[in-house]
Amino acid sequence: MTVSEDASRNDTRSAGDASGDERILLAVRGARDRELLAELLDAYEVIVWERGRESGGGGEGEDGDEGAGEDPLPEFDLCIVDMATYSAVADALAERKADADDRFVPVLLTVAQDEQAVAARRLDDVPDDVLAVPAPKAVIRSRVESLLQTRRQSLQLALYRRAMDSATVGITITEADDDQPLTYINDAFEEMTGYDRSEVLGRNCRFLQGEETDTEPVELLHEAIEAGESVAVSLTNYRKDGTPFWNELKISPVYEDGELTHFVGFQTDATVRHALKNQLIHETQTLKQLFETSPVGIAVLNDDGIIVRANEAAQEVLGLRRSVVLGQSYDAPEWDLVDARGEPLDRDDLPFDRVRETGDTVTNFEHGIGVDDERRWLVVNAAPLTGSDGEHVGVIAAIEDVTAQKRQERERERLLDLFDQSQKIASVGAWEVNTESGAVLFTSGLAELLGVEPGTVFDLSEAFSFYHPEDEPKVRAGFERLVETGEEQSLECRLETASGEMRWVNVRGVATRETDAPVFRGTVQDITERKARSRELERYERIVETTADPIYTLDDNLRFVLANSATADLLGRDPDDLVGEHVSTVFGEHHSQALLESIASLLAGDSDKETMETVVVDRDGAERRFQTTIAAKSSEDEFEGIVCVGRDVTELQERERRLSVLDRVIRHNLRNKMNIAQAHAAMVLEHTDDDDVLESAAAIERATSELLSLAETARKFSSALDPNVAERVQPQNVADCVRNVVEGARLSYPEATITVDAPGVANARAHTTFELAVNELVDNAVVYGGDGVEIELSVFEDDAADQVVLRVTDNGPGVPRLERESIMTGRESPLRHTNGLGLWFVRWAVTNSNGSIHIADNDPHGALIELRLPRA
């Protein structure tokens, strides 16, 4: 990137509305570019990010090396990044954007003019804007301020959203058109009505109305909505569970450019106030009817234990009519009283006698009673009754039938067991934290996930220690947000079990509203396998979308199901428009027929994929030759379609034809001309006594010999020139190859000392020219090191890297630095080039084998060349 210095001098306008509190992160490689940008954006707080360190205020620093992108990014309001630094920070920027939710995190990508095409393809990724530089100062400031303005607006909108979400009154927003569907509800509305957002968005609010909803306020609402006016009404609405509540509703219209677009509603639960009013009105009647209408059985016993009064609920519980119940002793034999264990109950153990004897209240006394040949379970609360003079006159008892609850308890125990089994199947566990006591409770499912005993007790700090050290701060921060805001929190992180195993989990937490105590609950679900599948799927999706080759899928009728961007670009079509079209209408009948023939071969079981070559017409009407590889899609052995991967080989085939002709002509002419030059040089050497002429003729003969040797080397390594010939890479015993080379070299160079250290077998996948490459290394060491050079070759296996390594060292002059850099980087430049093809052919032979080459100085002098090949 290059910032226009002329623009910096000529444009003197101020930053305008820029805020000094806003932070701009510069992730730009060139120190001069960072300095110019820092001066240009002096109205903001500028932070410089460099690989390896960061600084504020536009300070200078050295450019970083590869891998420095692992440094964390500081907080910022806008990031300016160039193409040189983009790859190092792209993942961190993408994660920052993902974590920001609806808050805009702008990224400005600066590119050189010739980089615009590449940058354009990345606009759908992290960058929000691309700026071609050099650019005038005003343009840079305008772009920066525009992005920052958008961020300010997003932060403001996020603030408004949080304010509305956390409001204590219900807030709704509906569209003004059609049937006024709900587009927004806040948390208070959910709590008030019991409905979840997903259940109400898109519906009209009338679903809250019911049988007791008065028509008058409803009509007032309709009239106000029709007129686009504000209105306030009080009406009966119904919660999701069917319970009514009084809703004091106010709605206001929202206009935009004079046009009614929405209505905003404010709901207040006035049920308590209405209930108090009704309570005052009906209190006397309620007190009179309380005894009879109580859902709990109430019985009054005199001092002799005889029932003298009982309400309808007591009659139902005891299974007798009132006329029979009254005057009955509570321990009558027909009731068959038993204790909680099912044993017969003595009269002295009955709560009535205990109250009469002690004068104390007895609570939650449970016993069984036989009624109509069935066992009922009752809970009795009994208290003494005294006369006006304080004398004990009897006992009043509340009798509740808990038979259903007993069944529910047994069912709950069964469900708890089912819940435990479900936790195991779903790899999920639950937790509860009381922030006052610091106690942490967890289910058996979470205990199993952590690898601890279910009864183990942890405090909050110990619970956090189970998370991966890099993720623990994130989990703590999420829990602190939960405690501070009460808003649901959900995040993905790594967890380390008691046995040291690392698992990916989804941690979810919510604030409970059951009690006044600060209690928070949530779940921990093992998503390790899902995470792995998701990463693999995302990787394949990125590969498919970013590849330059057309990739598309067809159904069993050869109609498009999916197509990547390269397919759409080739045809000048939108990918979605291709879906459903027959391949013959897109690529032509010849291509369609070739696909049918390839499918027939696939279904015949000849191979799992087929490759064909056809001519298709691109978006400009030009004919292009494509190689298309297809594979079948199937489910339960049923053919469902094919996946097609195309490769444009038009230029490749033409280039190969031209290179073949050029190679033959150059090598043929080079040999002929060099042979002629050698013959003439030999004639000169034989027919002249002039020392200068002899010296020149000898130089000509040496040069022609070297050129002929170079041509012969090129001929031997011609197969290594093609990087795509995978069939020439095959398993080889590298140790045998090296020994063969050393044996021949000792005969060719008897003055040189050549040693080899290799195991009997060291199998690797290597190109067919690999032995020639090793021979070239030995020849090169002798040529430059002289007859007395010492050469050592060693072969060994690197188990950690799953590779076979060949190391060649000598004590010659070593490989010149510029030549070494050219070979290592794989490219030459006007200032950095090599003198021969030998090391290049070695590099190509190794890289074609999916291996690597490393060249270094030998200690104390000489060269060290290391070749690494994948182990077979």
Side-chain angles (χ1 to χ4, degrees), residues 579-611:
V579 176
E581 284 203 44
H582 196 274
V583 69
S584 62
T585 65
V586 176
F587 286 127
E589 288 291 346
H590 178 67
H591 188 80
S592 176
Q593 185 62 34
L595 283 176
L596 289 173
E597 294 174 0
S598 297
I599 291 172
S601 296
L602 284 176
L603 297 181
D606 296 339
S607 65
D608 58 355
K609 64 181 179 179
E610 290 288 331
T611 300

mmCIF file of all heavy atoms in Angstrom, residues 579-611:
data_model
loop_
_atom_site.group_PDB
_atom_site.id
_atom_site.type_symbol
_atom_site.label_atom_id
_atom_site.label_comp_id
_atom_site.label_asym_id
_atom_site.label_seq_id
_atom_site.Cartn_x
_atom_site.Cartn_y
_atom_site.Cartn_z
ATOM 1 N N VAL A 579 -30.472 -23.128 -10.752
ATOM 2 C CA VAL A 579 -31.141 -24.233 -10.068
ATOM 3 C C VAL A 579 -32.414 -24.620 -10.821
ATOM 4 O O VAL A 579 -33.250 -23.774 -11.130
ATOM 5 C CB VAL A 579 -31.466 -23.861 -8.608
ATOM 6 C CG1 VAL A 579 -32.251 -24.975 -7.941
ATOM 7 C CG2 VAL A 579 -30.185 -23.576 -7.837
ATOM 8 N N GLY A 580 -32.533 -25.895 -11.141
ATOM 9 C CA GLY A 580 -33.711 -26.398 -11.829
ATOM 10 C C GLY A 580 -33.557 -26.502 -13.336
ATOM 11 O O GLY A 580 -34.351 -27.168 -13.995
ATOM 12 N N GLU A 581 -32.544 -25.832 -13.913
ATOM 13 C CA GLU A 581 -32.341 -25.900 -15.356
ATOM 14 C C GLU A 581 -31.649 -27.204 -15.735
ATOM 15 O O GLU A 581 -30.807 -27.729 -15.003
ATOM 16 C CB GLU A 581 -31.508 -24.711 -15.843
ATOM 17 C CG GLU A 581 -32.275 -23.410 -15.926
ATOM 18 C CD GLU A 581 -31.629 -22.439 -16.915
ATOM 19 O OE1 GLU A 581 -31.236 -22.882 -18.009
ATOM 20 O OE2 GLU A 581 -31.509 -21.251 -16.559
ATOM 21 N N HIS A 582 -31.999 -27.712 -16.935
ATOM 22 C CA HIS A 582 -31.351 -28.927 -17.434
ATOM 23 C C HIS A 582 -29.971 -28.583 -17.960
ATOM 24 O O HIS A 582 -29.754 -27.524 -18.550
ATOM 25 C CB HIS A 582 -32.195 -29.563 -18.535
ATOM 26 C CG HIS A 582 -31.800 -30.985 -18.830
ATOM 27 N ND1 HIS A 582 -30.795 -31.307 -19.706
ATOM 28 C CD2 HIS A 582 -32.272 -32.161 -18.330
ATOM 29 C CE1 HIS A 582 -30.671 -32.622 -19.754
ATOM 30 N NE2 HIS A 582 -31.555 -33.177 -18.933
ATOM 31 N N VAL A 583 -29.018 -29.486 -17.752
ATOM 32 C CA VAL A 583 -27.637 -29.198 -18.128
ATOM 33 C C VAL A 583 -27.491 -28.975 -19.629
ATOM 34 O O VAL A 583 -26.615 -28.234 -20.076
ATOM 35 C CB VAL A 583 -26.719 -30.343 -17.640
ATOM 36 C CG1 VAL A 583 -26.973 -31.616 -18.421
ATOM 37 C CG2 VAL A 583 -25.254 -29.944 -17.743
ATOM 38 N N SER A 584 -28.369 -29.578 -20.439
ATOM 39 C CA SER A 584 -28.265 -29.412 -21.885
ATOM 40 C C SER A 584 -28.573 -27.985 -22.321
ATOM 41 O O SER A 584 -28.025 -27.499 -23.307
ATOM 42 C CB SER A 584 -29.209 -30.388 -22.594
ATOM 43 O OG SER A 584 -30.562 -30.120 -22.236
ATOM 44 N N THR A 585 -29.459 -27.293 -21.588
ATOM 45 C CA THR A 585 -29.782 -25.902 -21.933
ATOM 46 C C THR A 585 -28.708 -24.945 -21.462
ATOM 47 O O THR A 585 -28.667 -23.798 -21.895
ATOM 48 C CB THR A 585 -31.125 -25.495 -21.306
ATOM 49 O OG1 THR A 585 -31.001 -25.512 -19.883
ATOM 50 C CG2 THR A 585 -32.233 -26.443 -21.724
ATOM 51 N N VAL A 586 -27.837 -25.403 -20.581
ATOM 52 C CA VAL A 586 -26.784 -24.540 -20.042
ATOM 53 C C VAL A 586 -25.456 -24.786 -20.752
ATOM 54 O O VAL A 586 -24.791 -23.859 -21.225
ATOM 55 C CB VAL A 586 -26.621 -24.776 -18.523
ATOM 56 C CG1 VAL A 586 -25.461 -23.943 -17.985
ATOM 57 C CG2 VAL A 586 -27.899 -24.419 -17.793
ATOM 58 N N PHE A 587 -25.054 -26.064 -20.869
ATOM 59 C CA PHE A 587 -23.767 -26.401 -21.460
ATOM 60 C C PHE A 587 -23.875 -27.045 -22.850
ATOM 61 O O PHE A 587 -22.856 -27.360 -23.460
ATOM 62 C CB PHE A 587 -22.990 -27.352 -20.547
ATOM 63 C CG PHE A 587 -22.426 -26.680 -19.329
ATOM 64 C CD1 PHE A 587 -22.684 -27.173 -18.056
ATOM 65 C CD2 PHE A 587 -21.637 -25.547 -19.442
ATOM 66 C CE1 PHE A 587 -22.153 -26.562 -16.931
ATOM 67 C CE2 PHE A 587 -21.112 -24.939 -18.322
ATOM 68 C CZ PHE A 587 -21.372 -25.430 -17.074
ATOM 69 N N GLY A 588 -25.083 -27.309 -23.319
ATOM 70 C CA GLY A 588 -25.250 -27.860 -24.648
ATOM 71 C C GLY A 588 -25.479 -29.358 -24.647
ATOM 72 O O GLY A 588 -25.204 -30.069 -23.679
ATOM 73 N N GLU A 589 -26.029 -29.859 -25.801
ATOM 74 C CA GLU A 589 -26.381 -31.271 -25.922
ATOM 75 C C GLU A 589 -25.159 -32.180 -25.880
ATOM 76 O O GLU A 589 -25.199 -33.272 -25.327
ATOM 77 C CB GLU A 589 -27.149 -31.485 -27.235
ATOM 78 C CG GLU A 589 -28.558 -30.916 -27.229
ATOM 79 C CD GLU A 589 -29.480 -31.694 -26.293
ATOM 80 O OE1 GLU A 589 -29.093 -32.805 -25.865
ATOM 81 O OE2 GLU A 589 -30.564 -31.176 -25.986
ATOM 82 N N HIS A 590 -24.040 -31.727 -26.487
ATOM 83 C CA HIS A 590 -22.844 -32.571 -26.502
ATOM 84 C C HIS A 590 -22.350 -32.847 -25.084
ATOM 85 O O HIS A 590 -22.007 -33.990 -24.738
ATOM 86 C CB HIS A 590 -21.746 -31.905 -27.329
ATOM 87 C CG HIS A 590 -20.458 -32.679 -27.349
ATOM 88 N ND1 HIS A 590 -20.348 -33.918 -27.959
ATOM 89 C CD2 HIS A 590 -19.226 -32.404 -26.829
ATOM 90 C CE1 HIS A 590 -19.117 -34.374 -27.800
ATOM 91 N NE2 HIS A 590 -18.417 -33.478 -27.120
ATOM 92 N N HIS A 591 -22.327 -31.805 -24.260
ATOM 93 C CA HIS A 591 -21.904 -31.957 -22.861
ATOM 94 C C HIS A 591 -22.874 -32.866 -22.113
ATOM 95 O O HIS A 591 -22.457 -33.739 -21.340
ATOM 96 C CB HIS A 591 -21.853 -30.580 -22.205
ATOM 97 C CG HIS A 591 -21.241 -30.589 -20.834
ATOM 98 N ND1 HIS A 591 -19.892 -30.613 -20.618
ATOM 99 C CD2 HIS A 591 -21.806 -30.570 -19.604
ATOM 100 C CE1 HIS A 591 -19.635 -30.619 -19.329
ATOM 101 N NE2 HIS A 591 -20.789 -30.590 -18.686
ATOM 102 N N SER A 592 -24.178 -32.701 -22.370
ATOM 103 C CA SER A 592 -25.180 -33.531 -21.706
ATOM 104 C C SER A 592 -25.021 -34.995 -22.086
ATOM 105 O O SER A 592 -25.086 -35.884 -21.229
ATOM 106 C CB SER A 592 -26.582 -33.031 -22.074
ATOM 107 O OG SER A 592 -27.574 -33.864 -21.526
ATOM 108 N N GLN A 593 -24.788 -35.264 -23.387
ATOM 109 C CA GLN A 593 -24.629 -36.639 -23.828
ATOM 110 C C GLN A 593 -23.375 -37.266 -23.223
ATOM 111 O O GLN A 593 -23.374 -38.446 -22.824
ATOM 112 C CB GLN A 593 -24.553 -36.688 -25.364
ATOM 113 C CG GLN A 593 -24.511 -38.094 -25.936
ATOM 114 C CD GLN A 593 -25.767 -38.898 -25.597
ATOM 115 O OE1 GLN A 593 -26.865 -38.338 -25.521
ATOM 116 N NE2 GLN A 593 -25.602 -40.192 -25.377
ATOM 117 N N ALA A 594 -22.288 -36.482 -23.155
ATOM 118 C CA ALA A 594 -21.058 -36.998 -22.548
ATOM 119 C C ALA A 594 -21.274 -37.339 -21.079
ATOM 120 O O ALA A 594 -20.730 -38.327 -20.562
ATOM 121 C CB ALA A 594 -19.931 -35.977 -22.706
ATOM 122 N N LEU A 595 -22.063 -36.529 -20.385
ATOM 123 C CA LEU A 595 -22.372 -36.821 -18.984
ATOM 124 C C LEU A 595 -23.141 -38.127 -18.862
ATOM 125 O O LEU A 595 -22.873 -38.936 -17.957
ATOM 126 C CB LEU A 595 -23.192 -35.675 -18.380
ATOM 127 C CG LEU A 595 -22.441 -34.402 -18.008
ATOM 128 C CD1 LEU A 595 -23.410 -33.337 -17.522
ATOM 129 C CD2 LEU A 595 -21.394 -34.668 -16.933
ATOM 130 N N LEU A 596 -24.111 -38.355 -19.745
ATOM 131 C CA LEU A 596 -24.887 -39.592 -19.688
ATOM 132 C C LEU A 596 -23.989 -40.811 -19.877
ATOM 133 O O LEU A 596 -24.144 -41.831 -19.190
ATOM 134 C CB LEU A 596 -25.980 -39.562 -20.753
ATOM 135 C CG LEU A 596 -27.146 -38.589 -20.497
ATOM 136 C CD1 LEU A 596 -28.075 -38.538 -21.706
ATOM 137 C CD2 LEU A 596 -27.937 -39.007 -19.250
ATOM 138 N N GLU A 597 -23.044 -40.721 -20.816
ATOM 139 C CA GLU A 597 -22.128 -41.837 -21.033
ATOM 140 C C GLU A 597 -21.245 -42.082 -19.813
ATOM 141 O O GLU A 597 -20.980 -43.226 -19.429
ATOM 142 C CB GLU A 597 -21.270 -41.554 -22.267
ATOM 143 C CG GLU A 597 -22.074 -41.510 -23.569
ATOM 144 C CD GLU A 597 -21.237 -41.079 -24.755
ATOM 145 O OE1 GLU A 597 -20.020 -40.818 -24.562
ATOM 146 O OE2 GLU A 597 -21.780 -40.995 -25.873
ATOM 147 N N SER A 598 -20.779 -40.993 -19.180
ATOM 148 C CA SER A 598 -19.941 -41.140 -17.976
ATOM 149 C C SER A 598 -20.747 -41.718 -16.826
ATOM 150 O O SER A 598 -20.243 -42.536 -16.048
ATOM 151 C CB SER A 598 -19.358 -39.776 -17.583
ATOM 152 O OG SER A 598 -18.509 -39.276 -18.587
ATOM 153 N N ILE A 599 -22.016 -41.318 -16.714
ATOM 154 C CA ILE A 599 -22.875 -41.850 -15.648
ATOM 155 C C ILE A 599 -23.074 -43.345 -15.846
ATOM 156 O O ILE A 599 -23.071 -44.136 -14.886
ATOM 157 C CB ILE A 599 -24.222 -41.116 -15.627
ATOM 158 C CG1 ILE A 599 -24.030 -39.661 -15.149
ATOM 159 C CG2 ILE A 599 -25.225 -41.821 -14.711
ATOM 160 C CD1 ILE A 599 -25.273 -38.804 -15.267
ATOM 161 N N ALA A 600 -23.247 -43.757 -17.112
ATOM 162 C CA ALA A 600 -23.410 -45.183 -17.383
ATOM 163 C C ALA A 600 -22.186 -45.969 -16.916
ATOM 164 O O ALA A 600 -22.308 -47.062 -16.346
ATOM 165 C CB ALA A 600 -23.648 -45.396 -18.877
ATOM 166 N N SER A 601 -20.986 -45.414 -17.129
ATOM 167 C CA SER A 601 -19.763 -46.077 -16.668
ATOM 168 C C SER A 601 -19.709 -46.143 -15.149
ATOM 169 O O SER A 601 -19.288 -47.146 -14.560
ATOM 170 C CB SER A 601 -18.533 -45.349 -17.211
ATOM 171 O OG SER A 601 -18.480 -45.413 -18.627
ATOM 172 N N LEU A 602 -20.138 -45.047 -14.498
ATOM 173 C CA LEU A 602 -20.146 -45.033 -13.031
ATOM 174 C C LEU A 602 -21.087 -46.106 -12.484
ATOM 175 O O LEU A 602 -20.739 -46.857 -11.572
ATOM 176 C CB LEU A 602 -20.584 -43.659 -12.516
ATOM 177 C CG LEU A 602 -19.569 -42.517 -12.579
ATOM 178 C CD1 LEU A 602 -20.219 -41.216 -12.120
ATOM 179 C CD2 LEU A 602 -18.358 -42.815 -11.712
ATOM 180 N N LEU A 603 -22.293 -46.159 -13.042
ATOM 181 C CA LEU A 603 -23.281 -47.113 -12.540
ATOM 182 C C LEU A 603 -22.883 -48.547 -12.852
ATOM 183 O O LEU A 603 -23.313 -49.479 -12.167
ATOM 184 C CB LEU A 603 -24.652 -46.800 -13.151
ATOM 185 C CG LEU A 603 -25.244 -45.432 -12.777
ATOM 186 C CD1 LEU A 603 -26.608 -45.245 -13.413
ATOM 187 C CD2 LEU A 603 -25.344 -45.286 -11.261
ATOM 188 N N ALA A 604 -22.077 -48.726 -13.899
ATOM 189 C CA ALA A 604 -21.612 -50.072 -14.221
ATOM 190 C C ALA A 604 -20.566 -50.562 -13.230
ATOM 191 O O ALA A 604 -20.184 -51.729 -13.242
ATOM 192 C CB ALA A 604 -21.043 -50.100 -15.646
ATOM 193 N N GLY A 605 -20.066 -49.646 -12.392
ATOM 194 C CA GLY A 605 -19.106 -50.022 -11.364
ATOM 195 C C GLY A 605 -17.688 -50.088 -11.845
ATOM 196 O O GLY A 605 -16.826 -50.655 -11.172
ATOM 197 N N ASP A 606 -17.401 -49.487 -13.029
ATOM 198 C CA ASP A 606 -16.037 -49.520 -13.540
ATOM 199 C C ASP A 606 -15.085 -48.719 -12.656
ATOM 200 O O ASP A 606 -13.929 -49.071 -12.479
ATOM 201 C CB ASP A 606 -16.006 -48.976 -14.979
ATOM 202 C CG ASP A 606 -16.818 -49.869 -15.924
ATOM 203 O OD1 ASP A 606 -17.034 -51.051 -15.568
ATOM 204 O OD2 ASP A 606 -17.248 -49.375 -16.976
ATOM 205 N N SER A 607 -15.554 -47.583 -12.123
ATOM 206 C CA SER A 607 -14.730 -46.747 -11.251
ATOM 207 C C SER A 607 -15.656 -45.852 -10.443
ATOM 208 O O SER A 607 -16.865 -45.784 -10.701
ATOM 209 C CB SER A 607 -13.748 -45.892 -12.075
ATOM 210 O OG SER A 607 -14.469 -44.971 -12.885
ATOM 211 N N ASP A 608 -15.085 -45.177 -9.438
ATOM 212 C CA ASP A 608 -15.903 -44.292 -8.618
ATOM 213 C C ASP A 608 -15.965 -42.873 -9.161
ATOM 214 O O ASP A 608 -16.648 -42.024 -8.594
ATOM 215 C CB ASP A 608 -15.380 -44.264 -7.173
ATOM 216 C CG ASP A 608 -13.930 -43.809 -7.104
ATOM 217 O OD1 ASP A 608 -13.316 -43.611 -8.177
ATOM 218 O OD2 ASP A 608 -13.414 -43.668 -5.983
ATOM 219 N N LYS A 609 -15.232 -42.605 -10.241
ATOM 220 C CA LYS A 609 -15.316 -41.300 -10.884
ATOM 221 C C LYS A 609 -14.925 -41.444 -12.353
ATOM 222 O O LYS A 609 -14.252 -42.389 -12.748
ATOM 223 C CB LYS A 609 -14.422 -40.274 -10.193
ATOM 224 C CG LYS A 609 -12.936 -40.568 -10.256
ATOM 225 C CD LYS A 609 -12.142 -39.497 -9.515
ATOM 226 C CE LYS A 609 -10.643 -39.817 -9.554
ATOM 227 N NZ LYS A 609 -9.843 -38.786 -8.856
ATOM 228 N N GLU A 610 -15.399 -40.505 -13.150
ATOM 229 C CA GLU A 610 -15.133 -40.502 -14.581
ATOM 230 C C GLU A 610 -14.703 -39.096 -14.994
ATOM 231 O O GLU A 610 -15.181 -38.100 -14.425
ATOM 232 C CB GLU A 610 -16.386 -40.903 -15.362
ATOM 233 C CG GLU A 610 -16.789 -42.363 -15.214
ATOM 234 C CD GLU A 610 -15.838 -43.293 -15.956
ATOM 235 O OE1 GLU A 610 -15.256 -42.873 -16.972
ATOM 236 O OE2 GLU A 610 -15.680 -44.452 -15.500
ATOM 237 N N THR A 611 -13.797 -39.013 -15.976
ATOM 238 C CA THR A 611 -13.348 -37.727 -16.499
ATOM 239 C C THR A 611 -13.629 -37.686 -18.002
ATOM 240 O O THR A 611 -13.318 -38.642 -18.721
ATOM 241 C CB THR A 611 -11.851 -37.515 -16.246
ATOM 242 O OG1 THR A 611 -11.614 -37.548 -14.838
ATOM 243 C CG2 THR A 611 -11.403 -36.159 -16.789
#
